[in-house]
Amino acid sequence: MSVYSVEEFMRFFSTTIAERTQVGQRQGITQENYVGYVYRSHPRLSVVVMTDKEYPEMVAIELATKISREFEQQYSEAQIMGATSAIKFPALDDYIVKYQEPHQANTILKVQRELDETKAVLHKTIEGVLERGEKLDSLVDRSNDLSTQSKMFYKTAKKTNSCCIVM
């Protein structure tokens, strides 16, 4: 990829996958370490989200869909069809910032992350309870042993002292 700049690669890759995607279709195409998620909602409107391989597919598709819907709400069919160059979309910058952290942008992933954190805390709590239970069992066993030993000591002392009369 040294022949092309990253921007040139992304522009070429985005254009290629957008042209090859049917209207109404969503798809993800992997190229080296990048994935291009495309949603083509209109013959003249495709949204391509470029991510690395670790970025969640569900979030990338959600982003492409949201951008497409908001763009179509903001611009009329005539504006889209009559466009001879790229149409500015100021909300795009906000989406880029918001979706940098997918777990914060996507409600399902956010809830999943919170559930995972809660699950980890519960596992630690249960482990602690089990350890305390083992310690309590150990203490009960030691107490029983001590009780048995003290009974034996008492019996031995009683036998030893039975030969002597204390006055």
Side-chain angles (χ1 to χ4, degrees):
M1 199 152 81
S2 60
V3 178
Y4 299 105
S5 72
V6 173
E7 182 181 352
E8 289 171 328
F9 163 75
M10 287 186 178
R11 189 176 307 278
F12 174 76
F13 186 63
S14 296
T15 303
T16 303
I17 65 174
E19 289 171 351
R20 294 180 182 177
T21 302
Q22 299 296 316
V23 174
Q25 184 181 11
R26 296 172 179 87
Q27 64 178 339
I29 308 293
T30 302
Q31 177 65 34
E32 295 181 19
N33 294 327
Y34 299 99
V35 182
Y37 297 97
V38 62
Y39 173 48
R40 188 166 190 179
S41 61
H42 190 279
R44 301 262 320 215
L45 177 61
S46 295
V47 176
V48 178
V49 177
M50 295 292 294
T51 69
D52 59 16
K53 287 183 177 182
E54 287 80 36
Y55 199 87
E57 178 180 1
M58 177 176 64
V59 180
I61 294 292
E62 174 187 304
L63 174 59
T65 304
K66 279 184 175 182
I67 290 171
S68 178
R69 287 186 182 148
E70 190 172 323
F71 188 88
E72 288 181 10
Q73 288 173 352
Q74 190 171 341
Y75 296 100
S76 69
E77 174 88 13
Q79 288 174 307
I80 295 171
M81 291 301 288
T84 56
S85 62
I87 301 173
K88 298 288 182 196
F89 186 56
L92 185 60
D93 292 334
D94 295 335
Y95 279 117
I96 290 171
V97 170
K98 180 179 178 184
Y99 279 79
Q100 288 299 310
E101 181 56 48
H103 291 92
Q104 296 301 322
N106 182 279
T107 308
I108 293 171
L109 286 179
K110 191 175 189 178
V111 169
Q112 182 64 47
R113 185 181 197 174
E114 290 172 1
L115 285 173
D116 290 344
E117 290 171 358
T118 303
K119 186 173 142 183
V121 168
L122 284 174
H123 280 197
K124 286 182 180 179
T125 303
I126 290 170
E127 286 173 7
V129 166
L130 291 175
E131 285 177 14
R132 282 191 292 265
E134 289 173 6
K135 289 179 183 174
L136 286 174
D137 289 344
S138 174
L139 284 173
V140 167
D141 290 343
R142 288 161 105 188
S143 174
N144 288 338
D145 290 346
L146 191 57
S147 178
T148 304
Q149 288 175 359
S150 67
K151 287 178 186 174
M152 288 174 40
F153 178 77
Y154 174 74
K155 289 179 183 178
T156 305
K158 191 173 179 183
K159 282 182 187 177
T160 305
N161 291 335
S162 64
C163 68
C164 307
I165 299 174
V166 179
M167 291 197 199

